[in-house]
Amino acid sequence: MARAVKEATVAELTERFQNSSGAVLTEYRGLTVAQVKELRLSLGEHATFSVVKNTLTKIAATGAGVTADFTQLLAGPSAIAFVGGDVVQAAKGLRDFAKANPLLVIKGGVLDGKIMTPGEINKLADLESREVLLAKLAGAMKASLAGAAGTFAALPVQMARLLAALEEKRAKEAPAAAGRAEAPPATEGSDAPEADGDVPEAGGDASEAGGAE
């Protein structure tokens, strides 16, 4: 391979390492061209699967700041899945394809600069994809908003019922309060006749006292 081609390859791989959210290293020994094509389709549109040369990939990975634990895995026929989107979808595609085609061996990977073992990649594949999580979140938010809307809609009805109950209570209390305000005090009605009857008696006593004199 010419020097210029090697430099261009290293530059391209370095850029992929830097711009990808994750990279999964595999050994593809024995896979046919048709099987590799099938694998690429299973990874989704946001991931690529490329056969790489170990020496050039080590240089590129080192230049991109990838941990040395990853470069140590570069041995034998190597191919890397560079993931630019949902890493869960790519992990699922690799795991499922490896189950159906044991010739594909997942050796490890790097996610956000951290090394991942084959077991960790399989666990990642068991998670729900970003699209599923977003759909569930949207459904939960929609249900929450619907509940809040129902609560707000019920407030005017509840307020109207409360006001009606208060008006009814006031209407029942009004006649009783008016009756108490119109009735005269009991002492005024009973003392007046007695006062009228006492006046002559006082006059009579006075005349009798004058006659005695």
Side-chain angles (χ1 to χ4, degrees), residues 43-65:
L43 296 179
E45 58 181 1
H46 298 296
T48 62
F49 185 78
S50 304
V51 175
V52 297
K53 291 186 176 297
N54 294 332
T55 303
L56 300 181
T57 304
K58 287 180 181 181
I59 297 172
T62 302

Side-chain angles (χ1 to χ4, degrees), residues 45-186:
E45 58 181 1
H46 298 296
T48 62
F49 185 78
S50 304
V51 175
V52 297
K53 291 186 176 297
N54 294 332
T55 303
L56 300 181
T57 304
K58 287 180 181 181
I59 297 172
T62 302
V66 178
T67 174
D69 293 335
F70 179 83
T71 59
Q72 291 175 0
L73 299 175
L74 289 164
S78 300
I80 298 179
F82 289 99
V83 186
D86 187 4
V87 292
V88 173
Q89 181 181 358
K92 287 181 185 293
L94 287 169
R95 181 200 59 187
D96 295 344
F97 186 89
K99 286 182 178 180
N101 302 273
L103 293 176
L104 179 73
V105 179
I106 298 176
K107 302 178 69 174
V110 59
L111 177 63
D112 293 332
K114 298 180 180 180
I115 191 70
M116 296 188 69
T117 65
E120 290 172 334
I121 295 173
N122 286 331
K123 289 181 179 179
L124 183 64
D126 291 331
L127 300 178
E128 293 178 324
S129 66
R130 179 174 179 271
E131 287 73 14
V132 173
L133 291 176
L134 287 176
K136 287 188 175 182
L137 178 60
M141 291 179 64
K142 184 177 180 181
S144 178
L145 291 175
T151 301
F152 288 130
L155 286 177
V157 177
Q158 294 175 358
M159 186 61 70
R161 290 177 178 174
L162 178 60
L163 291 175
L166 289 174
E167 290 296 333
E168 183 178 355
K169 182 179 180 182
R170 290 176 181 174
K172 290 180 179 179
E173 293 175 349
R180 287 195 299 270
E182 294 174 358

